[in-house]
Amino acid sequence: MKINVLTLFPEMFDALKTSMLGRAMEKGLIDLNLVNFRDFTYDVHHHVDDAPYGGGAGMVLQIKPIKLALDSLSKTGKIVITAPQGQTFTQKTAQRWSNESELTFICGHYEGFDHRVYDLADEVVSIGDYVLTGGELPTMSMIDATSRLIPGVLGNAMSPKEESFSDGLLEYPQYTRPADFEGQKVPEILLSGNHEKIAYWRHQQALSTTLHFRPDLLRHRQLSDEEKKMLADLERLS
Ligand code: ADE
């Protein structure tokens, strides 16, 4: 996947070049193209922002350098603006984007964009109901969540399927050696070798964890008869 990022701080994206994503870049699975839109300003001081029409505090990012930076790309794919007023980014967004061959992110900074910049985008997306100083960290989160779903990026091709949110539930608890740590024992079922029972327990635990931490997720999910029974059994045991 080719990922273009229009940003005033390309060096922030060095963080993506480590670990799994770094290896995916080396393997050519991800091609990250960082474009500093300050390079598309032609005044002496290379200003990218200006005072808002109508007055008020702060500065506003101008449309021209952003449009020129976009025009410099031979293709863009889907164009995404990261901003707090956007649709909330979820695992579903990451799944949808992971099927694209090219994406372009536009990162804002300072007080925000000239409103006409939004007309350049296919999607405006937020990572949550809080305001950061710029779109770089949200863009990095979105790139990470999307890239790891591209086949070959994660070592184990199975792992994205069995994780939080991928089927609308949070992940079940995992354990590794030792089986007994200072009296805290690993649930016996996991040592039983009975794979059918283990799968049932994990599914039940995923439901229980979701009910405890994110009941809102269950309200948006159609529970199967087996899942209703799993929850009823849990309630009976508690
Ligand atoms: N830019 C600043 N805050 C943001 C947020 N919450 N999501 C996306 N982009 C942002």
Side-chain angles (χ1 to χ4, degrees):
M1 180 189 283
K2 172 98 183 262
I3 304 176
N4 307 295
V5 182
L6 273 56
T7 170
L8 294 171
F9 301 97
E11 65 281 4
M12 286 180 74
F13 290 81
D14 283 351
L16 287 182
K17 295 175 187 162
T18 53
S19 186
M20 296 269 190
L21 263 50
R23 279 198 290 281
M25 286 181 212
E26 278 164 22
K27 283 199 252 170
L29 293 168
I30 301 166
D31 176 9
L32 183 64
N33 177 32
L34 301 168
V35 180
N36 190 336
F37 55 89
R38 198 180 293 284
D39 296 341
F40 295 85
T41 52
Y42 297 96
D43 63 304
V44 194
H45 299 291
H46 294 286
H47 282 132
V48 287
D49 54 359
D50 208 336
Y53 278 121
M59 301 291 269
V60 176
L61 285 171
Q62 294 173 299
I63 186 169
K64 196 171 170 189
I66 294 172
K67 178 67 168 58
L68 290 175
L70 278 179
D71 289 346
S72 76
L73 302 171
S74 55
K75 287 192 280 130
T76 61
K78 194 184 279 298
I79 299 177
V80 178
I81 292 184
T82 57
Q85 67 266 42
Q87 293 283 316
T88 306
F89 179 81
T90 65
Q91 189 68 17
K92 279 211 174 72
T93 324
Q95 273 152 0
R96 186 162 53 79
W97 288 355
S98 68
N99 296 316
E100 301 281 337
S101 57
E102 186 157 5
L103 288 173
T104 296
F105 291 90
I106 305 177
C107 305
H109 234 84
Y110 311 117
E111 297 297 307
F113 299 107
D114 180 311
H115 200 69
R116 291 166 291 189
V117 173
Y118 291 106
D119 294 336
L120 303 172
D122 297 300
E123 295 187 41
V124 181
V125 185
S126 164
I127 55 164
D129 290 342
Y130 44 87
V131 181
L132 301 172
T133 53
E136 282 75 14
L137 289 173
T139 297
M140 280 192 260
S141 304
M142 294 181 204
I143 291 176
D144 187 295
T146 303
S147 304
R148 62 191 288 287
L149 300 178
I150 297 171
V153 169
L154 292 185
N156 176 0
M158 275 300 288
S159 51
K161 294 202 177 72
E162 279 195 29
E163 64 189 4
S164 293
F165 304 116
S166 62
D167 68 348
L169 296 178
L170 300 182
E171 208 173 349
Y172 51 78
Q174 298 261 45
Y175 299 87
T176 188
R177 271 183 272 271
D180 184 337
F181 178 68
E182 296 180 355
Q184 285 186 284
K185 292 199 172 68
V186 167
E188 212 139 284
I189 182 93
L190 296 177
L191 312 175
S192 70
N194 184 331
H195 294 294
E196 211 174 302
K197 281 198 171 149
I198 291 173
Y200 184 92
W201 180 86
R202 284 180 166 163
H203 195 153
Q204 193 177 37
Q205 289 296 312
L207 278 167
S208 154
T209 307
T210 311
L211 185 64
H212 184 75
F213 289 105
R214 293 290 306 275
D216 56 304
L217 292 177
L218 285 190
R219 279 196 288 279
H220 297 116
R221 195 172 189 278
Q222 189 81 36
L223 292 183
S224 69
D225 286 346
E226 191 183 36
E227 287 176 330
K228 284 183 194 150
K229 184 177 170 304
M230 284 173 174
L231 282 176
D233 284 351
L234 275 175
E235 199 151 307
R236 221 169 5 87
L237 290 172
S238 66

